[in-house]
Amino acid sequence: MTKVLSIEKSSEDGLKELLKFLLENGKVKGVVALRKMSEDGAISYSLISSPDDVESTVPLFPLMPVNLAKQLSLLTLMEAATEPIAVVLRPCELRAFIELVKRTQGSLENILFISSTCGGVYPLKMAVEGNIGERLPEYGKALVQGELVPNTRLACQACEYFVPYTADITVSLLGNKGIEKETTLFLNTEKGESIVEGISGKFSEGDLDTAAIERIRSKRRTEKEKLSDEAELRNLGIDEINKTFSRCIGCRNCSKVCPACYCHVCFFETETSQHGPVYYERELQKTGCVNMLSDTIFYHLVRLFHVSTSCTACGQCADVCPVNIPLWAISLKMGESVQKTFDYLPGKDMEEGLPITTFLPEEFAGIV
Amino acid sequence: MTTNRKGALSPAKGGAQKGIIDFAKEALSQGCFDAVLIPSRVPAGDSFAYFLIQNEAVLEGATPLSPIMPVQGARVISSITRRGKGKNRIAVIMRPCEARATIELAKLGQVDLENITVITMDCPGVIPLSDYFKDTGKGDKVFEDASQNWNSQPMRSVCQICDKFSSVGGEDLHIGTMGIKSDSILLIPNSLKGEDILNKIGLSPEDGIDDWEASVSKLTEQRKKKRNQSNEGLRSDVEGIDGLLQAFSTCINCHNCMRVCPICYCRQCHFDSDKMKFSFDDYVTRAEARDGLRMPTDMLLFHVGRMLHMSLSCVSCGMCEDACPMMIPVSQIFTLVSDKNQEAFDYIPGRSVDEPLPLTTFEEEEFLEVEQSYAGVSSKQEGQDD
């Protein structure tokens, strides 16, 4: 059983009340959450320090403009947070940040993590079209009923890990019939429990509705199978890879927005990866024809190889691809199979070592 | 407008694209160059890329008038020659904005033109990547129909207002397709390299180019008008800090506009460098100083910084806008600013490889009016000091 705090307000308003309480009472110095940046509805993450600014936040808005893990890494890379802050983020963002911390790209110190059982986010393209607002009632309805939310990111529709693992506080949303009237906050950690002391609300004990969670998980699994078939990536051999990436323009935006791709300078942007004239002369001699974009497949394979143990399938890569390559499905497939092999789920547990840095004498005996 | 330029008609029975390929094949076989760099369909068939081609049979399938611009050609030339010119003499057949960016990169030390022959053609524009990849078959058809009628409506926003879709001056040879009989193309040499090619393939530039020039000027005038209208229309929306903040409000700081830009050649952008990493306390101080701190930070500083760095060389190719996941009208905003900046320096990027970059050119008598206003400020201050 977990301690539960209930606030008699809709989930969004209750969560905002919690954030305001934390700032007003000096329990945190700042809050990082999604915020409405302009009247026309542009949404961005924002670090706020005044309780008055909580009103303009939209902490549960179903959009992921950036994967927050990357921003938290920047925030805590030079030094750990010197004062407590609270961040509201999605389960895949939290997992991605845990992975970054394991890779010494940030610090968990002084951060209160607030996450939710996640219904998914809408594609960025929909934010561009500006009609997410109209879809919110539909989103809320599907959320309450524990259904797949239509038109969300394909990565979200196929996501099984919508319950946060290491959040201090979890907002119960998925399959929760009371979200319009009551905010249900699971206080998972001691930090979560102690920081809300003094807030007005009802305290009790309870658990997430595991039956509902399992029901949703099985729906997502079925959807994942279906979407993987549609993406035609079941048998990802060299021919399929060639075909899938053939339209890549080599912009590498998938790596720039990826929380697992943290290298300061990507190998593919170094001098080492640049060809000189001699290379082109040699290639030309061999075949009489050189595709000037041929390195893109090499890039994608290496990237998959590098991120596969830490990929949390957030889908940011697919959302920013200018030529609509189904990168989410490829990353998911690659990530799942590699992670299964190592019996590792990225971001699940801070104490669990990265597979690549963990040496087990008796591992993969068959291969050796 | 009349010039002394002349051209040579070359047969193009199978249409302009076929005519361009036939010309390239002939020039290749006559040893005018060792290889041709030209857009072609990728093997999977659903997109296009630049191919460096020596094999004449492969050249047959090239698509110099491809419906999209997946990569700006200037970047391709830079990747081949940035580390030195190499032994191969390469002819690149590209769109005018790509040629102009190539020439700018040569001035910026990122391209070596010595063994490169730049060949351009009249350009109908390109379809935005996002439109094309919705349905590539339909995209091919839309492009074909539109380009035959010089209808720019389905093209990139900046293609629709492009007034430099033809010969701009910096290329070695231009291929005219407008205003001439549809069964031929017009080869117009523009440098010794260009003249040499015509010589070698047994053509001499003796044909008049008046009809072509008349067609080009007519469309240029139309486009100029449209461009001014578009710029003016956009100006009121994006002017000032508030206007810019609004225009870029959905930006996610992915910097993809910069990475696909042919002019943004820095190996490490300042905005991706350690200089843009701050301590936790810095973030909090900035958040406290105003009503919160947007994350990612410094969004507008990046765009304005980039604008400042590349606007004098911006060729309005539209790559930035095509690569923006948030569909911000980046290239239209940059066109508005670049046009003004370039006008102030009487500079047209890519017009001539011999024309120095404005920022590396010192003129004693330049921008006196700017100096004047500062002179006023300083004398006033001196007066106060007294």
Side-chain angles (χ1 to χ4, degrees):
Chain A
M1 297 280 258
T2 313
K3 276 257 164 66
V4 180
L5 163 63
S6 310
I7 299 174
E8 266 188 56
K9 280 187 175 176
S10 73
S11 297
E12 176 124 332
D13 287 342
L15 178 53
K16 280 160 82 167
E17 183 156 304
L18 169 67
L19 299 176
K20 207 166 169 184
F21 165 83
L22 296 174
L23 282 168
E24 267 171 354
N25 293 281
K27 302 218 175 191
V28 297
K29 181 79 178 171
V31 164
V32 180
L34 287 172
R35 192 180 183 200
K36 238 184 197 129
M37 302 308 287
S38 63
E39 280 314 305
D40 70 350
I43 306 284
S44 173
Y45 276 109
S46 196
L47 169 65
I48 58 167
S49 58
S50 158
D52 297 339
D53 290 333
V54 172
E55 200 37 53
S56 59
T57 63
V58 281
L60 299 172
F61 197 85
L63 186 73
M64 191 187 291
V66 296
N67 186 306
L68 190 63
K70 245 181 146 70
Q71 292 304 309
L72 292 180
S73 165
L74 274 174
L75 193 63
T76 62
L77 182 64
M78 308 272 278
E79 58 176 350
T82 50
E83 288 172 281
I85 56 163
V87 303
V88 187
L89 74 183
R90 294 184 178 272
C92 59
E93 294 175 295
L94 177 53
R95 286 169 59 214
F97 185 54
I98 298 283
E99 287 298 296
L100 281 171
V101 174
K102 285 186 192 177
R103 291 169 188 264
T104 66
Q105 299 302 306
S107 162
L108 301 176
E109 210 173 305
N110 269 331
I111 303 182
L112 178 82
F113 292 99
I114 304 173
S115 192
S116 58
T117 51
C118 177
V121 296
Y122 287 114
L124 291 173
K125 294 253 157 22
M126 216 175 266
V128 173
E129 289 155 9
N131 55 10
I132 292 184
E134 299 162 20
R135 292 185 189 273
L136 290 181
E138 181 187 54
Y139 185 95
K141 205 172 144 200
L143 202 61
V144 168
Q145 291 171 348
E147 296 293 338
L148 294 172
V149 187
N151 303 307
T152 46
R153 274 186 185 171
L154 298 179
C156 297
Q157 298 190 34
C159 171
E160 291 180 40
Y161 304 105
F162 49 86
V163 179
Y165 282 103
T166 62
D168 296 298
I169 298 176
T170 300
V171 190
S172 163
L173 296 178
L174 255 185
N176 179 351
K177 304 252 181 301
I179 59 171
E180 285 302 320
K181 293 197 178 107
E182 193 174 57
T183 309
T184 314
L185 302 162
F186 285 86
L187 311 172
N188 307 317
T189 62
E190 239 170 71
K191 195 178 184 178
E193 262 183 57
S194 64
I195 207 159
V196 299
E197 269 171 32
I199 195 169
S200 54
K202 207 173 76 210
F203 286 90
S204 60
E205 286 201 344
D207 281 313
L208 279 172
D209 182 350
T210 43
I213 297 286
E214 275 317 313
R215 214 169 47 235
I216 298 160
R217 189 164 285 147
S218 108
K219 277 181 198 160
R220 298 262 185 109
R221 272 192 191 131
T222 313
E223 195 63 16
K224 178 164 70 183
E225 298 303 316
K226 200 182 114 206
L227 291 170
S228 297
D229 280 342
E230 280 171 16
E232 293 175 17
L233 295 169
R234 245 309 141 224
N235 307 303
L236 205 58
I238 193 70
D239 288 342
E240 286 79 10
I241 287 173
N242 270 326
K243 192 166 171 285
T244 307
F245 292 118
S246 66
R247 62 170 80 156
C248 172
I249 63 167
C251 68
R252 292 191 285 270
N253 212 21
C254 42
S255 109
K256 296 298 154 178
V257 300
C258 172
C261 262
Y262 65 87
C263 289
H264 190 68
V265 177
C266 176
F267 169 79
F268 291 92
E269 279 156 20
T270 62
E271 272 301 300
T272 319
S273 73
Q274 312 287 310
H275 305 303
V278 177
Y279 167 85
Y280 294 108
E281 280 154 20
R282 200 177 53 222
E283 288 298 302
L284 205 50
Q285 241 173 11
K286 269 196 262 176
T287 57
C289 171
V290 187
N291 179 350
M292 296 302 295
L293 266 175
S294 61
D295 279 357
T296 50
I297 290 172
F298 182 37
Y299 154 76
H300 282 290
L301 292 181
V302 171
R303 193 177 105 75
L304 282 170
F305 176 57
H306 283 187
V307 305
S308 57
T309 52
S310 290
C311 173
T312 56
C314 68
Q316 199 72 5
C317 48
D319 250 27
V320 302
C321 176
V323 294
N324 299 335
I325 298 171
L327 290 163
W328 71 272
I330 299 159
S331 306
L332 180 66
K333 185 183 167 66
M334 182 82 171
E336 264 196 344
S337 48
V338 173
Q339 291 159 19
K340 211 168 123 195
T341 308
F342 286 98
D343 189 20
Y344 180 80
L345 185 68
K348 183 181 178 183
D349 180 359
M350 186 57 211
E351 303 310 317
E352 203 174 355
L354 295 163
I356 308 241
T357 58
T358 310
F359 175 68
L360 300 178
E362 295 299 315
E363 202 177 26
F364 299 115
I367 296 172
V368 179
Chain B
M1 188 180 77
T2 50
T3 61
N4 299 323
R5 286 170 79 188
K6 293 261 183 186
L9 286 166
S10 171
K13 296 255 182 303
Q17 177 152 285
K18 182 76 172 55
I20 295 170
I21 294 168
D22 287 344
F23 154 69
K25 272 170 63 185
E26 176 64 9
L28 186 64
S29 72
Q30 294 303 324
C32 299
F33 27 76
D34 303 316
V36 184
L37 184 66
I38 190 168
S40 301
R41 233 175 236 284
V42 297
D46 64 344
S47 186
F48 299 82
Y50 268 96
F51 282 72
L52 188 58
I53 302 174
Q54 206 157 39
N55 182 320
E56 281 179 36
V58 178
L59 189 55
E60 188 71 42
T63 52
L65 286 164
S66 55
I68 52 171
M69 186 189 289
V71 175
Q72 229 274 8
R75 289 190 82 95
V76 182
I77 285 282
S78 176
S79 67
I80 297 178
T81 67
R82 193 175 57 79
R83 291 179 136 201
K85 57 181 184 286
K87 289 198 286 277
N88 282 332
R89 292 164 305 140
I90 298 169
V92 55
I93 300 183
M94 61 195 343
R95 293 179 135 90
C97 61
E98 296 178 292
R100 292 170 61 216
T102 303
I103 288 157
E104 289 305 291
L105 283 182
K107 295 184 202 178
L108 291 161
Q110 305 300 311
V111 157
D112 189 326
L113 283 176
E114 195 180 319
N115 283 344
I116 302 290
T117 303
V118 178
I119 300 172
T120 53
M121 66 239 157
D122 292 344
C123 172
V126 290
I127 297 184
L129 293 175
S130 57
D131 289 352
Y132 185 76
F133 285 110
K134 270 178 206 147
D135 181 344
T136 55
K138 196 175 150 210
D140 288 335
K141 182 86 179 64
V142 166
F143 176 78
E144 203 187 317
D145 292 348
S147 60
Q148 267 165 11
N149 307 315
W150 291 92
N151 166 21
S152 65
Q153 196 269 328
M155 308 301 183
R156 281 180 178 171
S157 61
V158 279
C159 294
Q160 297 178 29
I161 55 168
C162 177
D163 57 358
K164 298 180 185 64
F165 54 86
S166 186
S167 169
V168 180
E171 73 279 4
D172 294 302
L173 188 134
H174 182 79
I175 302 174
T177 59
M178 291 186 84
I180 55 169
K181 277 186 288 177
S182 63
D183 61 356
S184 44
I185 53 172
L186 185 61
L187 307 175
I188 310 158
N190 211 19
S191 72
L192 289 175
K193 271 187 203 167
E195 283 167 22
D196 188 45
I197 290 173
L198 287 198
N199 269 335
K200 282 192 176 144
I201 61 171
L203 288 175
S204 49
E206 286 165 354
D207 297 312
I209 60 170
D210 293 352
D211 290 349
W212 168 75
E213 265 188 343
S215 300
V216 170
S217 340
K218 193 172 155 214
L219 188 57
T220 305
E221 286 315 310
Q222 285 173 13
R223 291 275 182 85
K224 270 193 177 140
K225 219 166 133 192
K226 208 170 159 194
R227 191 179 182 97
N228 286 336
Q229 280 169 358
S230 158
N231 280 349
E232 284 315 311
L234 190 63
R235 179 188 306 280
S236 54
D237 290 341
V238 302
E239 211 161 32
I241 292 287
D242 289 339
L244 280 175
L245 272 175
Q246 186 62 33
F248 287 105
S249 66
T250 55
C251 173
I252 60 167
N253 280 44
C254 66
H255 297 179
N256 213 28
C257 45
M258 170 266 281
R259 272 194 309 282
V260 298
C261 173
I263 307 301
C264 267
Y265 67 86
C266 290
R267 293 202 43 87
Q268 166 95 70
C269 178
H270 172 81
F271 292 94
D272 290 333
S273 75
D274 277 347
K275 289 267 184 265
M276 297 307 286
K277 289 186 175 143
F278 309 106
S279 72
F280 177 82
D281 288 343
D282 283 340
Y283 282 105
V284 175
T285 309
R286 286 171 74 183
E288 281 174 336
R290 33 185 139 162
D291 299 329
L293 180 64
R294 192 183 195 275
M295 295 187 78
T297 66
D298 304 292
M299 179 273 287
L300 199 54
L301 188 64
F302 162 74
H303 288 293
V304 174
R306 193 173 95 79
M307 210 177 254
L308 183 70
H309 283 187
M310 52 68 72
S311 64
L312 284 169
S313 292
C314 174
V315 296
S316 297
C317 65
M319 274 313 299
C320 47
E321 197 164 313
D322 255 24
C324 174
M326 304 308 284
M327 298 179 147
I328 297 167
V330 195
S331 63
Q332 296 168 61
I333 298 170
F334 275 60
T335 294
L336 164 68
V337 175
S338 300
D339 277 4
K340 273 280 167 206
N341 286 357
Q342 292 167 12
E343 194 188 310
F345 286 94
D346 188 22
Y347 183 75
I348 294 174
R351 178 167 55 185
S352 161
V353 75
D354 300 319
E355 195 175 4
L357 295 163
L359 288 184
T360 58
T361 312
F362 176 68
E363 288 182 24
E364 274 185 62
E365 298 294 313
E366 203 177 25
F367 294 114
L368 288 176
E369 66 280 12
V370 178
E371 229 172 90
Q372 212 66 49
S373 59
Y374 277 101
V377 172
S378 77
S379 64
K380 211 152 120 199
Q381 278 173 345
E382 278 162 27
Q384 280 168 349
D385 287 346
D386 289 342

